[in-house]
Amino acid sequence: MLERWKAAMALTAGLWLLWLPAAAQAQGGRGGRGGAPPVTGPWSDKSLSPDQRADLLIAAMTLDEKIQLLHGAPSGPGGGRGAPPPAVPTTSRSNGGAGWVPGIPRLGIPDLNMADSAVGVTRGAAESRYSTLLPSALGAAASWNPDLAMLYGQVIGRELRDQGYNMSIGGGVNITREPRNGRNFEYAGEDPILAGTTVGMLMKGVQSQQVMGDLKHYALNDQETGRNIGNVLLDHRTMRETDLLAFQIAYRISDAAGFMCGYNKVNGDWDCENDYLLNQVLKKDFGFKGWVMSDWGGTHSTTKAITAGLDQEQPGSGFFGEPLKKAVEDRDIPIERINDAVHRILRSMFAVGVFDNPPLPHRVVDVFQGLADAQKIAEESIVLLKNSGNQLPLSGSVKSIAVIGSHADVGVLSGGGSAQVDPPGGNAAPPPPPPPGQETGGRGFGFGGRGPVYFPSAPLKYIRAKAPGAKVEYNDGADPAAAAALAKASQIAIVFVNQPMSEGRDAATLTLPDKQDDLVSAVAAANPHTIVVAETGGPVAMPWADRVSGILEAWFPGIGGGPAIANILFGDVNPSAKLPVTFAKSDQDLPHPAIAGSNLMPQPGAARGAAGGAAGGFGGGRGAGGAPGGAAGGPGGFGGGRGGMPPFDVPYTEKLEVGYKWYEAQNKEPLFRFGSGLAYTTFAYSGMRAAASGHNLTVSFSVKNTGKRAGKEIAQVYATLPASTGEPPKRLIGWQKVDLAAGESKTVNLAIDPLYLSIFDESSNRFEVPGGGYKIWAGGSSGSLPLTQAVEIGN
């Protein structure tokens, strides 16, 4: 870093005086709101690399200007919560998103306007801005389609840009260690290769729109319960082969501008001041070139945090404002470290195009294209889990249909918390007002008083359109007996069930809430032709699965969910998605039947923390620190409510055996296996050939559509590593989604990335492909692998 700094200073010396007077006169940043010309300087030369341009710009900055880029505004353009104004004058304003870092107009450095955008752009209602609600990120992972994940990111990126944002703070990569995690809908499943690939392509799509992306919550922030106080205990090998591998793959694909560190501790150190995670793994081993920002309120110190690798505090300046400046002036922190942090931000702005091509002027998002894209993604993300007797697809000539439950007459469910996209026209199924004295503010953290939010994409409407000659009646499911009576009088019964999920809270159990299992059981007893459509944030228990004829897992299907569900029910779309997570039969079948720390939660009637109770959620939006009764935040103004819970450890005793790997290692049969999913046709596998040359493995085989309909098959490849490695029984190493006409065969050819065959050696701190005998498997799911071949791979 020092040598690079010296070189930049030398290059700048001969150019500085040529443009400084003009730059000093400019008042409008990158073109400004007052019509001033753009500020230019040596860094404006686009033939230079992003790193060179960043260093030239740093050479022109004062210490106050550098410090200003290393923390967010407290809560908006006017400061807020009694905070002093920025040390450097600004002429721009916040765009109203989750985060705002004022730019430096004197040098043409644009503001950073950040938006929560895990499943769409949030916070639109305040400005009457529309944003497309996409299916849950978990649904995108269920498509097993990297191109579709790319499209997902492109939708978010273009709508961010249209609305004036230049950074997405979506990109959740936390794998599903805890299936009841309230934020699983924001993430991409339990396998690090599938999750990393999905989110990597998603963030690549965002950045293709010249909007910076980030990857979060780094790392092991895998539950909401006590997320601010939990201490994850895990060895380095397990981290690198599971949770951190997902981040590594996602970064390698996306070259994301930012990483957001999480709230929790790992092996005794907070994520945002964890030298092993930030310096040793992320910046050194991954080669990360961008910057690390804290999750909101996740900064705990000044010297320790910035030394450990944190580059930017969010929000506010409690640690990285005046305290950081003083530490530099007192020589507790070298200026080179400050320059490095600023460099990471600036070079990312140059690399993605934020500096040269700011997202102005604003324009109305393309609502129609967003809807079409959302529906396309939903149709490829809905998983057909059961289809007894070919109950599906339904015929348009069906005479009568009972549609029951989950507000299917008005809309589809969405996920809550900071990812909550505002619904057009308001909540399609607003909850009753809370009792007096129990109101909470905010944007749905733990649903924060809003209740679950439904989007106006009513499945009932589209089901009726598919069967115009049928008598289609709706029952809200509140009275199972009445619902069963309607089902008995109908030819087909379709029961919609739901599992509301949100940041700031975990589900207490895999069991569906509000006695919905009783509803399904009553309807199934009345009508053997019962189909269940599940709108859930993740895996749920289905004790009635053997008593219904069909099951669709729709996740949170987005604004195009209504027509997508109807198209699959009636066969206009042949389902092609497969599970990115394992569905257990019950909580007792999980590696941890109870969520870590849940035994420490205050009992009903005890003092309440932030919304979400003892889950350690916020309770307020990102523009308000804390919540009534919540623990006070740090100097940054956010702390998340601890709900009276004492600190506790989160021991991931399953270690490498995450998800399907645990079930296989325990010889335990789940309800539905990872990678499983049906179509309205069938597929056959044959002719496998696996060959190794050094550490390079190639696998080929044929897939044939043996049915009468065109369809897509997700052909999956797994490997069993040599027994001496101590690895789980199988790991996913590759897949390909194959589009086949009826009767058609295609050859699948996969070149396996050596990283996916590797184990992490702690002594040498590197991944290595172990030599020995491997068994390669291929088929349609982790539980259906008809093709096998032994392969010897050398050291």
Side-chain angles (χ1 to χ4, degrees):
M1 176 64 195
L2 184 58
E3 291 304 314
R4 187 175 68 193
W5 176 248
K6 289 178 179 178
M9 288 293 290
L11 180 60
T12 305
L15 300 171
W16 174 258
L17 294 177
L18 297 178
W19 60 267
L20 182 57
Q25 294 174 10
Q27 297 294 320
R30 297 294 304 160
R33 299 178 183 273
V39 176
T40 60
W43 55 84
S44 303
D45 183 352
K46 296 180 183 180
S47 69
L48 300 176
S49 72
D51 293 297
Q52 290 173 316
R53 297 177 73 183
D55 284 336
L56 288 168
L57 190 48
I58 290 170
M61 297 176 72
T62 67
L63 178 59
D64 280 337
E65 289 169 336
K66 294 172 184 178
I67 295 295
Q68 180 168 307
L69 293 185
L70 302 186
H71 62 81
S75 61
R81 302 186 64 81
V88 179
T90 62
T91 59
S92 300
R93 62 177 179 82
S94 166
N95 197 40
W100 175 60
V101 179
I104 315 294
R106 181 181 75 86
L107 301 175
I109 300 174
D111 295 353
L112 289 179
N113 272 297
M114 306 173 178
D116 285 309
S117 44
V119 295
V121 184
T122 63
R123 296 169 172 262
E127 300 290 335
S128 194
R129 296 186 296 218
Y130 173 87
S131 300
T132 299
L133 174 69
L134 295 169
S136 65
L138 190 61
S143 76
W144 295 61
N145 185 340
D147 292 335
L148 202 74
M150 179 83 168
L151 173 63
Y152 194 111
Q154 288 170 335
V155 174
I156 291 173
R158 74 171 182 247
E159 294 195 359
L160 284 167
R161 187 172 178 84
D162 287 344
Q163 295 183 35
Y165 293 103
N166 55 17
M167 186 167 195
S168 164
I169 48 174
V173 199
N174 300 93
I175 63 174
T176 313
R177 280 189 178 271
E178 176 46 71
R180 295 156 294 196
N181 181 1
R183 302 188 78 169
N184 280 337
F185 73 93
E186 298 183 47
Y187 305 146
E190 69 192 28
D191 183 85
I193 299 175
L194 178 60
T197 300
T198 300
V199 183
M201 291 299 294
L202 191 159
M203 276 298 118
K204 185 176 181 180
V206 168
Q207 295 199 157
S208 73
Q209 306 301 299
Q210 296 184 312
V211 171
M212 293 184 292
D214 88 329
L215 301 171
K216 67 180 187 182
H217 305 89
Y218 185 78
L220 291 149
N221 192 166
D222 296 337
Q223 64 180 57
E224 292 297 280
T225 300
R227 66 180 182 177
N228 309 77
I229 52 179
N231 176 39
V232 174
L233 302 176
L234 205 58
D235 62 278
H236 290 176
R237 174 183 173 181
T238 296
M239 282 191 235
R240 294 300 302 269
E241 292 187 28
T242 56
D243 301 70
L244 300 190
L245 179 59
F247 280 97
Q248 181 176 354
I249 294 167
Y251 174 63
R252 185 175 66 176
I253 292 171
S254 67
D255 197 24
F259 263 63
M260 180 189 291
C261 47
Y263 287 123
N264 54 289
K265 290 183 176 181
V266 173
N267 295 331
D269 284 322
W270 297 109
D271 271 1
C272 291
E273 53 184 42
N274 193 306
D275 179 77
Y276 177 74
L277 292 178
L278 302 183
N279 281 334
Q280 297 182 48
V281 176
L282 178 58
K283 293 184 175 180
K284 182 180 177 182
D285 292 353
F286 291 5
F288 176 57
K289 297 178 181 179
W291 84 95
V292 179
M293 72 180 72
S294 73
D295 203 341
W296 269 229
T299 307
H300 296 268
S301 64
T302 300
T303 301
K304 182 177 180 179
I306 197 163
T307 302
L310 181 65
D311 299 304
Q312 187 181 73
E313 175 186 7
Q314 287 290 352
S317 55
F319 293 108
F320 276 30
E322 285 301 317
L324 182 58
K325 178 181 177 181
K326 185 177 186 302
V328 174
E329 292 173 337
D330 292 346
R331 299 187 178 182
D332 294 330
I333 297 172
I335 189 64
E336 289 81 8
R337 174 66 188 103
I338 301 301
N339 291 336
D340 174 62
V342 174
H343 173 93
R344 290 172 174 276
I345 296 170
L346 295 176
R347 67 92 50 206
S348 299
M349 297 171 78
F350 284 120
V352 178
V354 165
F355 197 98
D356 299 319
N357 299 287
L360 291 173
H362 298 190
R363 65 180 185 182
V364 178
V365 303
D366 189 336
V367 176
F368 303 104
Q369 187 61 54
L371 176 59
D373 290 339
Q375 182 176 330
K376 173 182 173 65
I377 294 167
E379 288 172 347
E380 209 165 323
S381 70
I382 296 171
V383 186
L384 177 61
L385 292 174
K386 184 177 181 181
N387 192 19
S388 294
N390 293 319
Q391 177 73 73
L392 296 171
L394 298 175
S395 168
S397 61
V398 63
K399 300 302 182 183
S400 58
I401 304 173
V403 177
I404 298 166
S406 296
H407 303 291
D409 60 327
V410 294
V412 291
L413 183 59
S414 62
S418 61
Q420 181 71 69
V421 177
D422 290 327
N427 193 345
Q438 296 187 26
E439 303 90 345
T440 57
R443 299 191 43 75
F445 289 82
F447 296 116
R450 295 181 70 175
V453 175
Y454 283 77
F455 271 63
S457 183
L460 178 64
K461 171 185 174 180
Y462 296 98
I463 290 170
R464 281 177 170 157
K466 295 292 182 184
K471 182 180 182 181
V472 182
E473 295 183 87
Y474 177 74
N475 179 281
D476 66 9
D479 179 358
L486 176 61
K488 187 173 183 178
S490 304
Q491 186 179 354
I492 300 291
I494 305 174
V495 184
F496 286 78
V497 297
N498 68 81
Q499 178 206 41
M501 297 294 273
S502 172
E503 177 182 4
R505 50 171 279 180
D506 293 323
T509 173
L510 293 176
T511 300
L512 291 169
D514 302 323
K515 298 184 178 180
Q516 292 177 89
D517 289 337
D518 293 344
L519 171 64
V520 175
S521 296
V523 171
N527 189 329
H529 304 292
T530 294
I531 300 156
V532 176
V533 179
E535 297 175 52
T536 69
V540 293
M542 298 179 177
W544 33 260
D546 61 348
R547 301 194 297 276
V548 300
S549 60
I551 302 174
L552 285 181
E553 175 54 70
W555 316 108
F556 298 150
I559 190 63
I565 290 168
N567 281 343
I568 288 178
L569 286 172
F570 285 86
D572 295 278
V573 171
N574 193 346
S576 63
K578 299 199 175 188
L579 292 180
V581 286
T582 303
F583 276 47
K585 293 177 181 177
S586 71
D587 296 278
Q588 295 306 311
D589 285 345
L590 297 174
H592 305 280
I595 299 173
S598 59
N599 61 314
L600 302 173
M601 294 171 67
Q603 297 302 309
R608 297 185 63 188
F618 278 99
R622 294 196 179 202
F638 294 72
R642 294 188 179 183
M645 294 176 68
F648 61 92
D649 290 336
V650 183
Y652 286 134
T653 52
E654 72 278 8
K655 294 189 175 182
L656 295 169
E657 296 171 356
V658 181
Y660 66 95
K661 299 170 185 175
W662 188 81
Y663 288 90
E664 292 205 16
Q666 300 297 317
N667 197 28
K668 188 184 290 285
E669 186 64 30
L671 178 64
F672 296 111
R673 286 180 176 262
F674 173 83
S676 63
L678 304 173
Y680 298 147
T681 187
T682 53
F683 303 95
Y685 289 74
S686 63
M688 181 176 183
R689 185 176 185 276
S693 175
H695 294 162
N696 297 312
L697 175 68
T698 58
V699 181
S700 64
F701 50 89
S702 293
V703 182
K704 182 177 182 179
N705 183 344
T706 55
K708 297 180 180 180
R709 297 171 60 108
K712 299 175 183 178
E713 170 69 336
I714 300 166
Q716 302 162 43
V717 178
Y718 296 77
T720 299
L721 272 62
S724 60
T725 61
E727 290 289 308
K730 294 188 192 75
R731 63 163 67 170
L732 179 71
I733 59 171
W735 71 90
Q736 184 173 314
K737 196 159 191 175
V738 189
D739 196 347
L740 295 165
E744 184 182 11
S745 294
K746 286 184 180 178
T747 299
V748 174
N749 294 292
L750 293 173
I752 306 302
D753 189 325
L755 177 63
Y756 302 164
L757 298 170
S758 300
I759 63 173
F760 186 76
D761 180 67
E762 290 192 33
S763 62
S764 63
N765 192 49
R766 65 181 184 183
F767 279 96
E768 298 177 348
V769 178
Y774 289 67
K775 191 171 185 179
I776 310 303
W777 311 71
S781 80
S782 65
S784 177
L785 300 167
L787 304 182
T788 62
Q789 183 177 332
V791 175
E792 193 76 19
I793 296 180
N795 288 317

